[in-house]
Amino acid sequence: MGLNLNWFKYSSPATFYPLAGKMIPYFAGLAVVLTVIGLYLGFFVAPTDFKQGEGYRIIFIHVPAAWMSMLIYVVMAVYAGVGLVFNTRLSSLMAYALAPTGAMFTFLALWTGALWGKPMWGTWWVWDARLTSELILLFLYIGFMSLRAAIDDPRRAARASGLLAIVGVINVPIIYKSVEWWNTLHQGATVTISSGTSMESTMLTAMAVMVFAFWMYTIAVVLVRVRCEMLEAEQHTDWVADAVREGK
Amino acid sequence: MNWGSASEFFAMGGHAFYVWGSYGVTTVFMVAEVVLVVRRKRTITQRLGRMLRMRIGGKHEAQT
């Protein structure tokens, strides 16, 4: 028996729907627990910053939100791309489910960044390379969602929005590298895979816990939303009738 | 565990507005998203349930 893992089996909505339903509570629970731990570490254990005082504590949501905004876009673009190429319905539905959460984190990254920038840089906003490319990311998310909503035929909507998502993905490395290429105002990467970090350990731990908390949050919310998308997209099928009858 | 007093904590070393402005808006958005998506799930399930019952009801009338 070769490895003929029929990965299409798990990508069929009827199998995925109950599976996702069972996993959501675990991700949601983990998100809450990790957030509580992260905030405790961030506010009560992490020391005061010698230069920024207490204001730096915004980092514990600014950085996770910013990382999530980029990560979710890449994952969304991959799903949208797969949906475009393989015409698999569930992939496109997954991309649609990711978009709102990605857009929210992009907005939160911009918002918390502005509120952090005002006391430290003296300005809410500046047309800096990093800030501007993150703003473009927000427009890409909104463009993706509205393009899909604007087209009635699901197949054409999947193709059009998939194309936009793929074209937009080039923006993510630009955001990531913008601080080095243009070096306008936003500081360079403090945490890099290659050279580790110069951050104080408890600050780093608190931030890392918050990043995982945001991961768990995103998975839980996106799974609920993709199940909504699936119910709507497949409402005339028997498996939806069974799921609804069982009140799943 | 650095905890002076509640007022000192909320003052955030003078950056209260910026820190609590960030955390407040983030909490509002994340809580709102959860509420909206859970409500959307419930509405869809109920709507499909009603449509299902109507369809089955329709069949019974047709048969009798």
Side-chain angles (χ1 to χ4, degrees):
Chain A
M1 195 277 284
L3 179 68
N4 56 7
L5 179 72
N6 173 1
W7 56 284
F8 277 105
K9 169 170 174 285
Y10 284 104
S11 75
S12 80
T15 327
F16 181 82
Y17 184 88
L19 196 65
K22 278 195 270 294
M23 292 196 296
I24 290 171
Y26 294 101
F27 286 117
L30 215 51
V32 170
V33 168
L34 285 173
T35 303
V36 168
I37 296 169
L39 291 181
Y40 172 75
L41 290 175
F43 278 104
F44 301 111
V45 176
T48 309
D49 187 65
F50 73 96
K51 201 160 55 170
Q52 297 193 18
E54 305 297 337
Y56 87 96
R57 295 185 195 278
I58 298 174
I59 195 173
F60 301 122
I61 42 172
H62 176 68
V63 171
W67 285 2
M68 287 311 291
S69 71
M70 292 190 275
L71 174 67
I72 289 176
Y73 192 93
V74 171
V75 174
M76 182 183 94
V78 168
Y79 272 118
V82 166
L84 177 68
V85 169
F86 293 105
N87 271 321
T88 43
R89 299 280 299 126
L90 185 52
S91 318
S92 307
L93 297 184
M94 202 52 152
Y96 303 151
L98 284 158
T101 305
M104 180 191 77
F105 278 131
T106 309
F107 169 77
L108 289 178
L110 290 166
W111 174 270
T112 54
L115 262 73
W116 194 359
K118 183 58 181 166
M120 306 308 165
W121 291 341
T123 172
W124 301 104
W125 178 264
V126 69
W127 293 102
D128 154 87
R130 163 69 53 91
L131 280 66
T132 313
S133 44
E134 182 78 9
L135 184 64
I136 292 168
L137 188 68
L138 181 62
F139 294 148
L140 278 167
Y141 272 118
I142 294 167
F144 177 79
M145 291 188 279
S146 33
L147 181 57
R148 181 241 175 162
I151 302 172
D152 294 330
D153 164 33
R155 196 151 303 288
R156 272 184 53 239
R159 247 202 316 280
S161 54
L163 204 57
L164 172 62
I166 292 171
V167 167
V169 95
I170 186 65
N171 182 39
V172 174
I174 290 174
I175 296 173
Y176 191 70
K177 282 294 179 194
S178 60
V179 282
E180 284 150 35
W181 289 342
W182 290 288
N183 194 2
T184 30
L185 179 58
H186 193 287
Q187 74 278 9
T190 313
V191 177
T192 52
I193 302 142
S194 52
S195 68
T197 176
S198 55
M199 262 174 86
E200 198 271 348
S201 65
T202 40
M203 290 182 192
L204 181 65
T205 321
M207 195 175 77
V209 169
M210 286 305 284
V211 167
F212 283 110
F214 277 26
W215 274 43
M216 295 303 113
Y217 166 89
T218 302
I219 296 171
V221 168
V222 167
L223 284 182
V224 175
R225 189 175 292 119
V226 80
R227 293 177 89 226
C228 296
E229 294 281 349
M230 288 160 74
L231 285 179
E232 280 171 359
E234 312 250 327
Q235 52 191 298
H236 304 301
T237 59
D238 296 338
W239 76 264
V240 166
D242 300 340
V244 164
R245 200 173 296 119
E246 288 148 26
K248 285 276 190 311
Chain B
M1 215 299 257
N2 36 35
W3 170 268
S5 70
S7 60
E8 187 202 323
F9 172 74
F10 286 110
M12 271 295 134
H15 292 132
F17 173 75
Y18 304 108
V19 174
W20 303 120
S22 302
Y23 277 86
V25 165
T26 302
T27 312
V28 164
F29 268 71
M30 290 176 83
V31 168
E33 185 184 34
V34 171
V35 167
L36 287 172
V37 84
V38 168
R39 209 172 49 185
R40 175 181 171 190
K41 174 66 175 55
R42 200 180 309 126
T43 352
I44 291 175
T45 314
Q46 282 164 358
R47 183 169 55 84
L48 293 181
R50 273 196 303 277
M51 282 163 59
L52 197 67
R53 281 191 294 280
M54 274 194 301
R55 234 183 314 141
I56 293 167
K59 249 183 243 153
H60 280 306
E61 277 144 27
Q63 281 153 6
T64 50

